[in-house]
Amino acid sequence: MPFTIVRDDITRMNVDVIVNAANTTLLGGGGVDGAIHSAAGPSLLKECMTLGGCKMGQAKATKGYDLPCKYIIHTVGPIWNGGGFGEEQLLSSCYKNSLELAQELGCKSVAFPLISAGAYGYPFLDAVRVALQSISEFLADSEMQVTLVAFGLKTLMIDEENFEEIKRYINELSIGQFGEGPRHRRLPDALTDPQPETTTEELVCDAEGFARAVTKRMAELEIDDKELCRRANISGSLFAKISGGSGQLTKPQALGIAAALAEDTGSAEKLLRLAGYSFSNSERGDVVVKYLFDKGITDIVEVNRTLFSLDAGLLGEIW
Ligand code: AR6
């Protein structure tokens, strides 16, 4: 099942469960914890007082009270202490245990903040990497919609050098408006920015040809449908439609599948055309994807965190 990254306030998320980056007392605090307690109302603290705290890396659930979600899962991230004290494994456990608990509660959609990336001092890009890797590993076997919520101005999820290089590449193709990166943008602009158009050149979709090409390439790569879904960031039900040769894919879905299967940019383009699309030099997202594919970067986590950092739409089955 797919993941996405959004820029938002987690208390506004319309999902079955949101995750709180709490402390071991579970009795509230600052940051996202404070925001969740104020938005959920005082009954949340009353329930938290009955839970007896929570260990680092573990997770406990409460009701959602005044929030739009049914449940809140409280997890305790590691306090960054240089990286040699099991921080990565603890942080990864926070995501894994929260996702397993969400599954036990029968939830179909979950939203995470970037655990430990605030007061607990985990280096931001490392916190992003651990979050996305842990989520992606879980999704390899489970059906859940997982949203990673980035908050505030600091939402550049790739390193600065990489960001500058892609920015230069986009500007060279003169489609830029890239004087300012997302880090320097005011949040309201970023929140209201329209998503890039998903289609430019409308080609005819050959759903059966696409299905045949996907099946053939999966056999060559010796990957099963679960692995394809993980690599393409799509759900099992969408895969069933694709392999049945029915339905029109969106361009982000087709590009997700191209990322999963294509050998190079040329073969990605061929797949894309069967789905009725082509790469466009006037769409920032397409330019970034092409740049990454040209460099052999097709890992969906890498591709999507780069796209997010450049304010472009993500690949896969994005809701
Ligand atoms: N929505 C989404 N993300 C948010 C929000 C929000 N409303 N508010 C902050 N963030 P932090 P930690 C982001 O400090 O590092 C508390 O006092 C924030 O920008 O909330 O795990 C607890 O009680 C950052 O990226 O959590 C603990 O004592 C991320 O959430 C301690 O802080 C996490 O920042 C936990 O520290």
Side-chain angles (χ1 to χ4, degrees):
M1 272 295 260
F3 72 88
T4 192
I5 314 170
V6 301
R7 200 177 275 117
D8 211 331
D9 174 344
I10 201 161
T11 62
R12 301 181 340 141
M13 298 298 294
N14 229 327
V15 286
D16 294 339
V17 54
I18 65 166
V19 177
N20 181 18
N23 58 57
T24 52
T25 69
L26 295 189
L27 299 180
V32 71
D33 197 4
I36 288 175
H37 274 269
S38 3
S43 306
L44 173 60
L45 182 59
K46 279 195 197 136
E47 186 177 352
C48 282
M49 287 164 90
T50 67
L51 296 178
C54 179
K55 289 192 179 137
M56 246 180 215
Q58 301 293 308
K60 290 192 179 176
T62 63
K63 285 184 249 168
Y65 298 99
D66 295 345
L67 287 169
C69 55
K70 277 187 238 152
Y71 301 102
I72 303 165
I73 289 178
H74 307 263
T75 187
V76 184
I79 299 170
W80 180 256
N81 196 11
F85 294 85
E87 290 97 327
E88 179 161 343
Q89 204 240 322
L90 281 166
L91 185 56
S92 185
S93 303
C94 288
Y95 287 97
K96 186 168 173 281
N97 289 326
S98 300
L99 286 162
E100 281 172 3
L101 185 50
Q103 204 167 37
E104 280 165 31
L105 292 166
C107 296
K108 301 264 177 279
S109 54
V110 48
F112 280 96
L114 276 162
I115 301 161
S116 287
Y120 280 1
Y122 211 103
F124 187 78
L125 292 183
D126 290 329
V128 169
R129 181 181 48 78
V130 174
L132 288 173
Q133 259 169 20
S134 313
I135 291 167
S136 169
E137 273 164 29
F138 175 84
L139 291 178
D141 278 320
S142 311
E143 292 282 301
M144 184 103 71
Q145 279 190 342
V146 184
T147 304
L148 187 64
V149 181
F151 184 70
L153 295 176
K154 200 178 173 190
T155 53
L156 189 58
M157 293 195 170
I158 54 174
D159 67 61
E160 197 103 24
E161 209 177 298
N162 226 332
F163 176 71
E164 290 302 328
E165 193 180 324
I166 302 176
K167 228 169 73 176
R168 261 198 308 278
Y169 179 80
I170 293 174
N171 283 340
E172 270 163 28
L173 288 171
S174 48
I175 57 157
Q177 302 120 34
F178 247 110
E180 300 195 320
R183 181 174 280 188
H184 309 294
R185 302 174 68 163
R186 287 181 298 115
L187 186 62
D189 289 349
L191 284 174
T192 53
D193 264 359
Q195 287 293 298
E197 279 284 318
T198 51
T199 53
T200 43
E201 187 189 347
E202 277 292 343
L203 302 168
V204 182
C205 163
D206 173 5
E208 282 176 16
F210 187 78
R212 275 195 303 276
V214 167
T215 313
K216 181 166 173 262
R217 188 69 186 134
M218 282 172 70
E220 279 165 13
L221 291 171
E222 296 180 7
I223 62 170
D224 62 10
D225 50 346
K226 272 193 175 170
E227 180 58 11
L228 184 271
C229 289
R230 191 193 65 76
R231 291 190 191 187
N233 198 30
I234 62 168
S235 65
S237 51
L238 181 63
F239 175 75
K241 275 191 207 151
I242 295 166
S243 51
S246 67
Q248 163 85 52
L249 294 178
T250 65
K251 191 169 181 181
Q253 291 166 356
L255 278 169
I257 292 163
L261 297 176
E263 230 170 336
D264 49 33
T265 316
S267 56
E269 177 101 52
K270 274 189 202 149
L271 258 181
L272 208 55
R273 283 185 170 265
L274 286 172
Y277 300 104
S278 67
F279 280 115
S280 156
N281 268 356
S282 59
E283 286 179 30
R284 189 189 301 168
D286 280 21
V287 174
V288 175
V289 170
K290 223 172 153 182
Y291 168 90
L292 294 172
F293 283 11
D294 279 345
K295 289 195 137 203
I297 300 168
T298 53
D299 177 78
I300 202 77
V301 165
E302 282 312 302
V303 173
N304 276 348
R305 75 173 168 145
T306 307
L307 286 167
F308 179 79
S309 301
L310 287 141
D311 279 337
L314 271 52
L315 303 195
E317 195 178 351
I318 304 301
W319 52 98

